[in-house]
């Protein structure tokens, strides 16, 4: 299966590398050109045990690629996965209160993304919890 992952932060980069490790072909897309450059060389822009080995192996096999082009990303995959960090305000959250997820980044991104999607493209959205 060909999979496009929009967002290559903690969730997206790990998801992309793991999907390649089980045999899929993956294109990761992010607007951060520095992050894309690192990932395209098989280097992780953050520490996650075992990730750099998976990235390097996937890039070397040519089953894992990265781009900053939304047009390329929406043309590539059979499935499009959006992997963005939840921007919730954690400063007000406590054990006794509930914070609401801020889906603003997804709300901003999906109209631009979906206008480029071809009919029949499956999509999924994933969110990481906010960092405190």
């Amino acid at each position: 299966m060909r999979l496009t992952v929009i967002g290559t932060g903690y969730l997206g980069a790990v998801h992309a590398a793991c999907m390649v490790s089980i045999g899929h072909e993956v294109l990761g897309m992010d607007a951060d050109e520095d992050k894309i450059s690192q990932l395209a060389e098989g280097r992780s822009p953050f520490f996650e045990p075992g990730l750099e080995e998976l990235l390097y192996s996937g890039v070397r096999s040519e089953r894992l690629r990265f781009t900053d082009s939304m047009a390329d990303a929406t043309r590539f995959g059979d499935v499009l996965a959006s992997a963005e960090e939840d921007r919730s305000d954690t400063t007000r959250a406590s054990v006794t209160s509930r914070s609401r997820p801020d889906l603003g980044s997804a709300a901003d991104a999906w109209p631009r993304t979906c206008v480029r999607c071809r009919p029949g493209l499956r999509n999924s959205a994933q969110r990481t919890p906010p960092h405190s």
Side-chain angles (χ1 to χ4, degrees), residues 37-125:
S37 293
Q38 284 183 298
L39 291 166
E41 294 173 359
R43 295 183 300 123
S44 177
F46 52 85
F47 178 73
E48 179 66 36
L51 178 60
E52 200 147 286
E53 292 82 7
L54 285 175
L55 288 170
Y56 183 78
S57 174
V59 168
R60 204 170 120 186
S61 73
E62 298 183 356
R63 288 192 329 263
L64 178 58
R65 294 180 293 132
F66 296 93
T67 185
D68 62 356
S69 167
M70 183 63 80
D72 290 347
T74 56
R75 282 193 299 263
F76 177 81
D78 303 312
V79 174
L80 184 130
S82 173
E84 299 178 56
E85 185 173 331
D86 182 334
R87 301 181 305 185
S88 298
D89 180 2
T90 58
T91 60
R92 293 185 304 209
S94 70
V95 175
T96 58
S97 71
R98 292 178 138 176
S99 71
R100 292 184 176 203
D102 177 356
L103 300 178
S105 58
D108 295 343
W110 276 109
R112 291 190 311 272
T113 303
C114 292
V115 80
R116 294 180 174 96
C117 292
R118 66 184 182 284
L121 179 67
R122 295 173 297 234
N123 60 61
S124 70

